[in-house]
Amino acid sequence: MRKASKKLFAILLAVLMIVSVASLSAFAYDRNGHQVKKLVMLGDSIAAGFSLPDYDRRGVYCLQNKRVKGSFGDLVATKFGITGKDYTPYVSPGFRTKEIRVFLENDYEGDFVTQNFIGELSGNPNYNLEVMKSKRATMQKKISNADMLILEIGFNDTWLTTMGTYTDFSMTGNDPIGRVMNTPRYLYELQMAIQDTLFNFQQNFDPIIKDLYRLMKPGSTLVVVGCYNPFKDWTIPDGSLIYAGQLLNFLYDNMNSVMRSYVGDGVHDYVFVDVPNTEVISNSVNDMLSGVPALHKGGWDPHPTEAGHRYIANQILAALGA
């Protein structure tokens, strides 16, 4: 009887040790040794996992605030052992820095685009400023309880200005003489678009960081994912050796410099993650000019591939030492 009791005790002890080890490894730790149990993601369609198989499978053009399998947020959360409601993605196609501010500041209402076109930009006609404002309290509470926040924003800030220039360029059709004659004007438009984008991005990014610092609890970590240039492989004409899209490296480098400048400011643990080599679904000018929308094969789609999301997740985990 005594031997049986010892054997049973040994089995129970072994089970207890296994359970204890499992519970310790269920959550990861940030680089300061703080346990990460709750994660909030803020971002646009890149963070939403737009065009990934799981996103496409759901059959919704604008899939908001859902955990999409294979997105970089999902991959990071999985690494940390975060499941269910402990992972909160406040993400949507069309979001710019101005829309993020709407959620964080109770007296901020964005701009003309936010107030009139956010439904069109996001792909959800029922989405509007009042809907966004109704989510403020819940979102801010989630942020205040999070151990880690990941912010990915900026691409749509560049979209309206730079794409306006490219659209103007495309209006000349296949007239080579017209394109040559108007090139100085296109370059000037692009320069003005870049200056306008940089000014507006910096004007909005600083309040976002201050808002997040105000809401975040002591000891939490803010991870900021940089912008990649989805146009960098564009050649004009398509297939040539003239990499016109690399003209926009200056724009994204400067936006990343703004985001990187908060590292070591001593307020919270601010982690900047550079992701310049993100693989995108489409890198062709002709794809953009085709007029076929993203989520349809053959259209221009600047979102990360599955490999691109794995790359971003690995960059984040490496920066966190996880």
Side-chain angles (χ1 to χ4, degrees):
M1 183 69 179
R2 186 177 295 176
K3 288 184 178 180
S5 298
K6 287 184 177 180
K7 187 175 182 180
L8 178 60
F9 177 76
I11 293 173
L12 291 174
L13 182 61
V15 171
L16 179 63
M17 291 176 66
I18 292 172
V19 171
S20 298
V21 171
S23 65
L24 288 173
S25 61
F27 296 103
Y29 295 80
D30 65 17
R31 60 186 184 174
N32 297 312
H34 300 136
Q35 200 172 55
V36 180
K37 295 182 179 180
K38 297 181 183 295
L39 173 63
V40 170
M41 168 75 73
L42 305 176
D44 53 32
S45 56
I46 295 173
F50 192 95
S51 290
L52 287 178
D54 189 34
Y55 194 104
D56 201 3
R57 175 182 64 81
R58 296 168 188 245
V60 179
Y61 187 88
C62 178
L63 186 63
Q64 295 169 320
N65 309 333
K66 299 293 183 182
R67 181 168 181 165
V68 172
K69 185 177 181 180
S71 64
F72 70 83
D74 166 66
L75 296 173
V76 172
T78 299
K79 176 69 175 181
F80 287 163
I82 298 173
T83 60
K85 294 183 179 179
D86 288 334
Y87 174 68
T88 307
Y90 282 104
V91 293
S92 171
F95 277 5
R96 303 167 298 156
T97 48
K98 292 179 185 292
E99 281 69 56
I100 298 297
R101 286 185 65 184
V102 168
F103 289 115
L104 303 178
E105 302 170 31
N106 293 337
D107 59 350
Y108 184 77
E109 297 193 349
D111 61 1
F112 180 80
V113 174
T114 309
Q115 296 164 19
N116 295 277
F117 296 106
I118 190 58
E120 182 178 342
L121 283 177
S122 70
N124 182 354
N126 297 318
Y127 205 66
N128 56 44
L129 178 60
E130 293 307 311
V131 171
M132 296 173 68
K133 289 163 65 174
S134 70
K135 298 178 182 294
R136 280 174 174 161
T138 300
M139 184 172 180
Q140 291 174 19
K141 184 176 181 179
K142 283 280 189 177
I143 290 172
S144 67
N145 290 328
D147 303 302
M148 180 177 292
L149 285 90
I150 300 179
L151 171 66
E152 177 279 314
I153 201 69
F155 174 68
N156 289 316
D157 291 61
T158 73
W159 177 255
L160 296 179
T161 49
T162 57
M163 288 308 296
T165 302
Y166 276 110
T167 300
D168 190 16
F169 180 79
S170 70
M171 295 291 286
T172 57
N174 294 318
D175 176 17
I177 296 178
R179 288 191 172 186
V180 171
M181 293 295 292
N182 286 287
T183 291
R185 178 168 64 86
Y186 298 139
L187 291 176
Y188 176 76
E189 287 180 6
L190 184 60
Q191 179 185 357
M192 291 298 100
I194 290 174
Q195 290 180 4
D196 182 61
T197 298
L198 287 175
F199 175 79
N200 281 291
F201 180 78
Q202 188 160 11
Q203 290 293 107
N204 288 293
F205 190 78
D206 186 67
I208 287 174
I209 298 306
K210 290 177 180 176
D211 290 334
L212 291 176
Y213 281 174
R214 171 177 53 84
L215 293 168
M216 291 164 63
K217 67 181 183 181
S220 56
T221 299
L222 174 59
V223 177
V224 175
V225 179
C227 288
Y228 60 84
N229 179 4
F231 310 99
K232 65 184 177 67
D233 293 324
W234 276 21
T235 60
I236 300 177
D238 214 32
S240 73
L241 295 178
I242 304 174
Y243 283 86
Q246 293 189 5
L247 292 173
L248 291 177
N249 282 342
F250 173 80
L251 169 63
Y252 292 100
D253 288 346
N254 276 270
M255 291 172 69
N256 286 326
S257 293
V258 170
M259 291 185 274
R260 189 182 287 107
S261 67
Y262 293 85
V263 173
D265 60 9
V267 180
H268 280 273
D269 186 24
Y270 182 102
V271 181
F272 173 75
V273 181
D274 204 11
V275 292
N277 299 317
T278 301
E279 181 182 85
V280 297
I281 293 172
S282 174
N283 57 14
S284 165
V285 174
N286 284 348
D287 287 346
M288 189 275 289
L289 297 179
S290 71
V292 179
L295 277 185
H296 291 78
K297 306 303 179 185
W300 182 59
D301 195 335
H303 300 94
T305 61
E306 292 178 80
H309 276 278
R310 289 195 297 271
Y311 163 74
I312 295 173
N314 288 336
Q315 292 289 95
I316 292 173
L317 294 170
L320 292 172

